[in-house]
């Protein structure tokens, strides 16, 4: 594996997701991830552009990925290049999303008929097949192995690391009077190892203000609870202690 390029040149657009673009660099081992202002929900059915969302998510993600890396979870994140651009190790994304839940909410509440807000006795790890065409259906580890999406050792590694990430993030948000209800992670392969990839943002996490249950995450957009830009700017202040100012 090559060292991260010192002055990466943003090359061709490799692919575009709902919230980020992935660009090649002059070094095939490294990519630039560009955070867009786009917000989507219900697998792209609902869309909007939210000013400041890209740079705020980028900054929060870099901060949280740094914290989990310091806690011993290997990540693909290298460094921030600009408010929207970050350098990452290029990985082969494992098409199995890992969700960790501390509190009943969202699809878990709906499919199991439980009220939102019930704390689980211990974290629950769920798996979803990463497929926009199929709307990311829930799967179990056995299906992922038999259908060739991940090896048993990879799933074990992803589970253990997701639970470690949960410990770090639960404590981080609790110090800020926020309950980490659930979150989604993506992992990837590089040089035969598993790395935490993609992002950790309020797009893929549920963050509830302690006591009030006020939503400080993308549910504000999904459920029309208010202005998502205001919510993300508030989160910036909570995380960094200063109001967000565009650079
Ligand atoms: N380090 C990495 N190397 C290569 N690809 C990555 C890396 N990190 C994330 N990706 C992929 O880049 C894309 C980022 O786009 P984004 O996160 O916006 O997608 P998305 O909206 O989650 O939807 P989807 O991931 O299904 O396209 C995703 O496909 C993600 O799996
Ligand atoms: Mg993604």
């Amino acid at each position: 594996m090559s060292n991260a390029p010192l002055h990466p040149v943003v090359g061709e657009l490799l692919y575009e997701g709902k919230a980020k673009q992935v660009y090649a660099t002059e070094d095939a081992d490294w990519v630039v991830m560009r955070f867009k202002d786009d917000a989507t929900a219900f697998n792209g059915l609902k869309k909007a552009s939210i000013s400041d969302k890209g740079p705020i998510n980028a900054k929060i993600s870099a901060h949280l990925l740094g914290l989990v890396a310091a806690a011993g979870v290997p990540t693909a994140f290298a460094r921030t290049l600009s408010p929207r651009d970050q350098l990452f190790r290029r990985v082969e994304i494992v098409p199995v999303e890992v969700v960790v839940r501390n509190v009943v909410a969202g699809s878990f509440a709906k499919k199991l008929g439980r009220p939102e807000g019930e704390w689980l006795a211990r974290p629950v790890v769920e798996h979803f097949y990463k497929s926009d065409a199929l709307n990311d259906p829930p799967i179990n580890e056995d299906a992922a192995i038999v259908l060739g999406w991940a090896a048993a050792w990879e799933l074990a590694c992803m589970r253990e690391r997701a639970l470690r990430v949960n410990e770090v993030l639960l404590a981080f948000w609790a110090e800020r009077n926020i309950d980490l209800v659930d979150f989604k992670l993506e992992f990837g392969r590089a040089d035969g190892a598993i790395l935490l990839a993609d992002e950790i943002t309020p797009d893929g996490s549920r963050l509830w203000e302690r006591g009030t249950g006020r939503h400080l995450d993308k549910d504000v957009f999904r459920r029309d609870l208010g202005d998502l830009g205001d919510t993300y700017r508030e989160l910036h202040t909570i995380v960094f202690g200063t109001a967000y100012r565009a650079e």
Side-chain angles (χ1 to χ4, degrees):
M1 195 254 298
S2 56
N3 289 329
L6 279 180
H7 303 287
V9 178
V10 177
E12 65 164 314
L13 178 66
L14 295 175
Y15 36 93
E16 177 149 8
K18 292 180 278 289
K20 300 190 295 300
Q21 295 167 323
V22 185
Y23 289 91
T25 67
E26 69 276 28
D27 186 327
D29 286 341
W30 300 87
V31 289
V32 169
M33 310 282 294
R34 179 164 294 168
F35 285 72
K36 304 188 286 183
D37 286 337
D38 298 1
T40 66
F42 314 116
N43 196 20
L45 279 179
K46 182 173 178 179
K47 287 185 203 157
S49 177
I50 310 289
S51 73
D52 303 333
K53 174 175 177 283
I56 292 174
N57 266 353
K59 201 169 163 184
I60 291 175
S61 185
H63 189 72
L64 298 180
L65 285 171
L67 286 180
V68 303
V73 176
T75 80
F77 175 75
R79 65 177 198 274
T80 293
L81 301 172
S82 74
R84 285 186 191 276
D85 287 1
Q86 298 176 350
L87 186 65
F88 275 80
R89 187 70 215 283
R90 185 175 187 170
V91 299
E92 179 197 350
I93 292 287
V94 177
V96 177
E97 299 184 341
V98 181
V99 169
V100 181
R101 301 182 179 280
N102 297 304
V103 179
V104 173
S107 65
F108 193 81
K110 204 168 173 186
K111 74 182 172 195
L112 301 178
R114 303 287 279 233
E116 287 199 311
E118 174 187 351
W119 276 87
L120 296 160
R122 65 168 176 79
V124 169
V125 177
E126 289 192 305
H127 298 89
F128 295 83
Y129 176 42
K130 188 172 169 57
S131 163
D132 283 340
L134 298 173
N135 212 359
D136 297 342
I139 53 166
N140 68 18
E141 293 192 319
D142 214 24
I145 294 165
V146 173
L147 296 174
W149 297 323
W153 74 267
E154 291 176 323
L155 291 165
C157 175
M158 287 158 55
R159 179 191 170 83
E160 185 190 308
R161 291 184 186 171
L163 289 170
R164 179 75 187 122
V165 170
N166 186 47
E167 288 172 358
V168 174
L169 297 184
L170 255 182
F172 175 84
W173 289 114
E175 283 166 22
R176 287 153 184 84
N177 210 34
I178 290 172
D179 289 326
L180 175 63
V181 169
D182 55 42
F183 60 94
K184 183 265 275 187
L185 297 177
E186 292 181 31
F187 292 86
R189 306 179 179 103
D191 292 335
I194 290 288
L195 299 177
L196 177 58
D198 209 50
E199 63 179 53
I200 306 179
T201 63
D203 277 16
S205 314
R206 283 200 172 85
L207 303 167
W208 292 0
E209 186 177 57
R210 199 163 269 182
T212 68
R214 192 162 63 94
H215 296 256
L216 296 168
D217 54 53
K218 205 172 79 176
D219 272 348
V220 169
F221 174 71
R222 289 191 196 93
R223 302 180 184 188
D224 291 320
L225 301 174
D227 183 310
L228 190 67
D230 287 347
T231 301
Y232 280 28
R233 282 183 287 273
E234 182 179 349
L235 268 181
H236 181 284
T237 304
I238 291 170
V239 172
F240 300 106
T242 54
Y244 173 74
R245 287 180 55 198
E247 283 173 42

